[in-house]
Amino acid sequence: MKVGYIGLGIMGKPMAKNILKAGFPMVVYNRSQAAVDELVEEGAQRASNPKEVAESVDVIFTNLPDSPDVEKVIFGEQGILQGTHSGLIFVDNSTIKPLVARKIAAAFEEKGVLSLDAPVSGGDIGAINGTLAIMVGGPGEALQKVMPIFNAIGKTITHVGDSGAGQIAKAANQIMVAAQMVAMGELLIFSQKAGADPQKVIQAIQNGAAQCWTLDNKPPRLFAGNRNPGFKAGLQAKDLNIVMESSHEFGVPLPMTAVNFQLYQAMLQNNMAELDNSAVIAIIEKLANTTLDT
Amino acid sequence: MKVGYIGLGIMGKPMAKNILKAGFPMVVYNRSQAAVDELVEEGAQRASNPKEVAESVDVIFTNLPDSPDVEKVIFGEQGILQGTHSGLIFVDNSTIKPLVARKIAAAFEEKGVLSLDAPVSGGDIGAINGTLAIMVGGPGEALQKVMPIFNAIGKTITHVGDSGAGQIAKAANQIMVAAQMVAMGELLIFSQKAGADPQKVIQAIQNGAAQCWTLDNKPPRLFAGNRNPGFKAGLQAKDLNIVMESSHEFGVPLPMTAVNFQLYQAMLQNNMAELDNSAVIAIIEKLANTTLDT
């Protein structure tokens, strides 16, 4: 299987490299040429537009920041839709709106092309190590065919359902992740301002009903004064924007996530988009007019 | 060490029984006599008021619904403070406001009595099995003395700090627990209304960054239509009330927990206080005008 990869960013570049290392011949396209040069050095071919990638491969991946970026690469001039051919499979690793994922799947179906929405979680470290969780929506037939490629980039691959279901699972994931991050920020500042040692509080609660990935992994970094990503707050804000727009489209009021979205918006307003998503504690610090002792 | 236990409710009764079983002679007091009869049958002595309990034991425990109940048993007529004596240690297993815990500790200190705030988590099952997490605030000297008793009721015993620190940790715990519960409700209803299978969504996300005690334990019960406690929604609401009152007293705005408190208040208004705290999903169902498929 010849693989095309479009979008060689923080996530896409290491994922493409892992696919290449697994022995799949590869054609790449990216706006910035530095990342393309890197892949070409490792054996990939360079293409000059998405159409050209589509024409020359069996499976074409995209990994782009947001819904409009993916739409442009597919529906735009020299876009993927202009290069489809019999047997092509399209896979989107981006995190985008479920309704846009369904619209994309319908457009490919009209051309006789199978497609999968396959957003990932696990961050840049998971991308580098090939241990991502992949949440897949679309026909099982397509998933079966690309499974050898998915095995090169992910550890847990879940077929959630029809087209869009992968994006729905990713949105659901971000509802819980944001809740844990904000809860950690609130409880740490609450504890400190109430006069307890936040580190002792974490010790006391992290093995009971409050146990979670966030309390397992983030407190040592916060207590060391390290708020670097990890997973960027700007991307958390973007993903929560997808959740909130989708909540409106699907008719599901989400009162808690709505507040969490506002807190991440406050991070954007305070030039904190490049910090870790756990750095939302900085907004609680602002509200309480204090800072976490480090 | 002779032990007194006041408050033989869902939590207090099994905890008192475990202390009794561990071999500590015991004096009990409770408003309802049925629970007292049960303990007396297993070898405990009956007292007619809190003062009498205090006069006849070395360590006196309370385990009552809320701050005013604990204050009444201590400061009221025939209360514990009237029965203090040299060497007495006071331990409160209730979940109450940190500032009230500090006020109580100060009152005992004036009488030369050491005291601990020692709220627990782990629910009635943890109470029955003696596997509770105990979050302790107060002098280490007192904790050392009562440790053999704590070992009969708890598995994880954490000395968080000075008086009130145990209650602060419990409040922090409830911030995270409520966030997980509400997030689970929001993401399940979001997923279903968006057209994905909520059970598949849980499978896809529960081992990644969204991993938490709540997603590990509650979904199978919800999908089976079981919303019985577990930990009652009415108690979650009461504990969040403590968090919100304390957030005002300590000057820590908590925007997310404020919303979660309102959602649990909505449960109270809808006669759902006796359901599990995970049943907060019912409020999201009301908002979205749907029900989770079971």
Side-chain angles (χ1 to χ4, degrees):
Chain A
M1 273 187 298
K2 197 166 182 180
V3 174
Y5 213 101
I6 296 174
L8 303 171
I10 297 178
M11 296 297 287
K13 193 172 72 176
M15 290 166 72
K17 282 189 178 182
N18 281 330
I19 295 170
L20 192 59
K21 270 182 215 152
F24 297 97
M26 181 173 283
V27 182
V28 293
Y29 173 78
N30 195 50
R31 252 189 338 193
S32 139
Q33 287 309 300
V36 173
D37 293 343
E38 242 185 281
L39 267 291
V40 166
E41 208 159 284
E42 299 192 13
Q45 283 174 259
R46 181 191 313 265
S48 52
N49 57 55
K51 172 173 178 274
E52 198 184 306
V53 180
E55 284 168 345
S56 57
V57 299
D58 303 301
V59 185
I60 183 164
F61 284 78
T62 48
N63 200 331
L64 298 159
D66 208 346
S67 311
D69 310 293
V70 179
E71 287 182 282
K72 197 180 158 198
V73 158
I74 293 171
F75 298 109
E77 231 175 287
Q78 311 276 39
I80 295 171
L81 270 186
Q82 292 173 22
T84 59
H85 54 87
S86 168
L88 181 69
I89 296 176
F90 170 76
V91 180
D92 185 19
N93 286 143
S94 320
T95 295
I96 64 170
K97 286 170 63 170
L99 282 186
V100 173
R102 284 187 187 149
K103 174 182 143 192
I104 289 169
F108 276 111
E109 201 180 355
E110 259 183 42
K111 296 258 189 175
V113 170
L114 295 177
S115 72
L116 299 170
D117 49 296
V120 301
S121 88
D124 52 343
I125 294 183
I128 291 165
N129 296 336
T131 56
L132 294 166
I134 313 180
M135 295 156 255
V136 187
E141 183 193 347
L143 175 56
Q144 219 175 338
K145 282 187 182 154
V146 303
M147 194 57 99
I149 308 172
F150 279 2
N151 284 330
I153 55 178
K155 208 176 65 172
T156 318
I157 297 142
T158 310
H159 189 201
V160 185
D162 297 339
S163 293
Q167 297 297 349
I168 293 166
K170 180 67 186 282
N173 186 73
Q174 297 303 61
I175 289 173
M176 179 58 83
V177 168
Q180 290 181 13
M181 292 294 164
V182 174
M184 178 174 65
E186 288 193 355
L187 74 85
L188 285 173
I189 299 303
F190 174 87
S191 298
Q192 182 171 294
K193 255 204 137 172
D197 177 351
Q199 303 206 38
K200 287 279 183 186
V201 169
I202 296 294
Q203 275 176 42
I205 70 172
Q206 69 182 354
N207 296 313
Q211 184 279 327
C212 59
W213 186 92
T214 300
L215 287 190
D216 286 349
N217 289 282
K218 297 293 185 179
R221 293 163 56 98
L222 285 179
F223 291 129
N226 178 359
R227 296 185 181 186
N228 297 324
F231 184 73
K232 284 183 187 171
L235 290 174
Q236 186 76 57
K238 176 225 125 190
D239 288 359
L240 290 177
N241 185 49
I242 289 172
V243 172
M244 293 318 298
E245 285 190 17
S246 299
S247 87
H248 182 62
E249 290 161 356
F250 295 124
V252 193
L254 301 175
M256 182 186 68
T257 303
V259 169
N260 293 343
F261 179 44
Q262 299 308 312
L263 296 175
Y264 279 97
Q265 280 207 321
M267 290 189 77
L268 302 187
Q269 283 311 309
N270 285 273
N271 302 313
M272 296 173 177
E274 300 297 312
L275 299 183
D276 191 53
N277 57 346
S278 68
V280 70
I281 192 173
I283 304 304
I284 311 299
E285 289 174 325
K286 273 180 180 281
L287 295 174
N289 192 24
T290 190
T291 52
L292 185 69
D293 294 338
T294 54
Chain B
M1 273 188 297
K2 197 167 183 181
V3 174
Y5 213 100
I6 296 175
L8 303 171
I10 298 178
M11 297 296 289
K13 193 172 75 178
M15 290 165 73
K17 282 189 178 181
N18 280 330
I19 296 170
L20 192 59
K21 271 182 215 151
F24 297 96
M26 181 174 282
V27 182
V28 294
Y29 173 78
N30 195 49
R31 251 191 338 194
S32 139
Q33 287 310 298
V36 173
D37 293 344
E38 243 184 279
L39 267 291
V40 167
E41 208 160 285
E42 300 192 14
Q45 282 174 259
R46 182 191 311 265
S48 51
N49 57 56
K51 172 172 178 272
E52 197 183 307
V53 181
E55 284 168 344
S56 56
V57 301
D58 304 301
V59 185
I60 183 164
F61 285 77
T62 48
N63 200 330
L64 297 159
D66 209 346
S67 311
D69 310 294
V70 178
E71 287 182 282
K72 197 179 157 198
V73 158
I74 293 170
F75 299 108
E77 231 174 287
Q78 313 276 38
I80 295 172
L81 270 186
Q82 293 174 23
T84 58
H85 54 87
S86 168
L88 181 70
I89 296 176
F90 170 76
V91 180
D92 184 20
N93 287 144
S94 320
T95 295
I96 65 169
K97 287 170 63 171
L99 283 186
V100 174
R102 284 188 188 147
K103 173 182 142 190
I104 288 169
F108 276 110
E109 202 181 355
E110 258 182 44
K111 296 258 189 177
V113 169
L114 295 177
S115 74
L116 299 170
D117 50 297
V120 301
S121 88
D124 51 343
I125 295 182
I128 291 165
N129 296 336
T131 57
L132 294 166
I134 313 179
M135 294 156 255
V136 187
E141 182 194 347
L143 175 55
Q144 217 176 337
K145 283 188 181 155
V146 302
M147 195 57 102
I149 309 173
F150 279 2
N151 283 330
I153 54 178
K155 208 176 64 172
T156 317
I157 297 141
T158 309
H159 189 202
V160 184
D162 296 338
S163 295
Q167 298 296 349
I168 293 167
K170 181 66 186 284
N173 186 72
Q174 297 302 61
I175 288 173
M176 179 57 83
V177 168
Q180 290 182 14
M181 292 294 163
V182 174
M184 178 174 64
E186 288 192 356
L187 74 87
L188 286 173
I189 299 302
F190 174 87
S191 298
Q192 182 172 294
K193 254 202 136 172
D197 177 350
Q199 303 206 38
K200 288 277 183 191
V201 169
I202 296 294
Q203 274 176 41
I205 70 172
Q206 70 182 353
N207 296 315
Q211 184 280 326
C212 59
W213 185 93
T214 299
L215 287 189
D216 286 349
N217 289 282
K218 297 292 185 181
R221 294 164 56 99
L222 285 179
F223 290 130
N226 178 0
R227 296 186 181 186
N228 296 324
F231 184 72
K232 285 184 186 171
L235 290 174
Q236 185 76 58
K238 176 225 126 188
D239 289 358
L240 289 177
N241 185 48
I242 288 172
V243 172
M244 294 317 298
E245 286 190 17
S246 299
S247 87
H248 181 63
E249 291 161 355
F250 295 122
V252 192
L254 301 174
M256 183 187 68
T257 302
V259 169
N260 294 343
F261 179 44
Q262 299 307 312
L263 296 175
Y264 279 97
Q265 280 207 321
M267 290 189 77
L268 302 186
Q269 283 310 309
N270 285 273
N271 302 313
M272 296 172 177
E274 299 297 311
L275 300 182
D276 191 53
N277 57 344
S278 68
V280 70
I281 192 173
I283 304 304
I284 311 300
E285 289 175 324
K286 273 180 180 280
L287 295 174
N289 191 23
T290 190
T291 53
L292 184 70
D293 294 338
T294 55

